[in-house]
Amino acid sequence: IPKSSDLKLTGVMTSSGTSSRSVAEKFGFSHCSPTAEDVLDDDATATVFIATRHDSHAKYVKQAVTGGKHVFVEKPLCLNETELHEIVDCWQERKPILMVGFNRRFAPLAAVVKSQFGSGRMSMIYRVNGGQIPSNTWIQDKQLGGGRILGEMCHFIDFLIFMNGSLPTRVFAAAMQDPNDLDDTLCVNLSFENGSIGTINYFSNGAK
């Protein structure tokens, strides 16, 4: 967040009251809190940044947009379609700015590639050497993190959307079997509204 005289850092909440205080003092927030409600319901706060674990994103987004606040939320926006529809319903009432942290499209190299190719029908291949993440981490937990496909692969789908300028209309995926049933080595084929096609090869079975 750039420093500006027009910008005021109001409240911050982290996983514990002690770390909340440390963050507030280090970055200059007006106050810290042990509860998210103190931040989300603060009338002095216009924009909320949500960078918690994946399973809490939908809850906090709904609470923030219902209160009319602008929101930046780290990906994924939510973990299932029910949560997605609930977020849309909440957003429709006031329509604040709601941005998901898909950062690949903002990378300097992405800007160069986009300037050279523009938009329109194209065929795309995106290979990701993701490396292995142990099955006992929270990211791999279906309830907490949603798994790597929901939690990380969404980055690359968004990038293909950015490149060709249209949304997916059809998806097919095939995963390679693994002993932990993580399904995080896979190939995804996408068809887009403007006739573009894209393949994402997401590989966790090798070096990064």
Side-chain angles (χ1 to χ4, degrees), residues 59-202:
K59 172 187 173 183
Y60 291 147
V61 168
K62 287 186 291 183
Q63 189 171 343
V65 299
T66 298
K69 300 188 187 309
H70 304 302
V71 176
F72 175 93
V73 56
E74 281 294 355
K75 50 79 188 165
L77 175 60
C78 56
L79 293 182
N80 56 62
E81 287 190 60
T82 299
E83 291 178 340
L84 179 60
H85 291 306
E86 290 173 351
I87 289 172
V88 171
D89 290 341
C90 292
W91 178 85
Q92 289 283 5
E93 295 182 12
R94 299 197 181 189
K95 297 187 178 179
I97 296 171
L98 172 56
M99 181 175 180
V100 182
F102 292 134
N103 56 30
R104 297 300 191 273
R105 61 167 65 201
F106 298 106
L109 180 58
V112 172
V113 173
K114 182 69 173 177
S115 69
Q116 295 296 314
F117 285 89
S119 296
R121 190 169 62 183
M122 57 182 70
S123 58
M124 304 164 287
I125 299 176
Y126 200 137
R127 173 171 172 159
V128 183
N129 292 339
Q132 187 179 38
I133 294 181
S135 59
N136 61 352
T137 61
W138 71 269
I139 294 174
Q140 299 283 24
D141 187 300
K142 298 301 182 184
Q143 301 303 316
L144 291 177
R148 297 178 77 182
I149 307 310
L150 286 176
E152 182 180 354
M153 194 172 177
C154 52
H155 260 317
F156 314 113
I157 296 173
D158 176 75
F159 185 81
L160 297 192
I161 292 170
F162 167 68
M163 281 304 303
N164 83 88
S166 70
L167 295 172
T169 57
R170 187 171 59 177
V171 59
F172 174 82
M176 188 172 74
Q177 288 187 333
D178 68 87
N180 294 313
D181 294 323
L182 296 175
D183 295 330
D184 57 1
T185 296
L186 72 163
C187 298
V188 176
N189 293 315
L190 296 159
S191 300
F192 295 84
E193 290 173 345
N194 67 358
S196 294
I197 55 174
T199 297
I200 301 172
N201 296 318
Y202 188 91

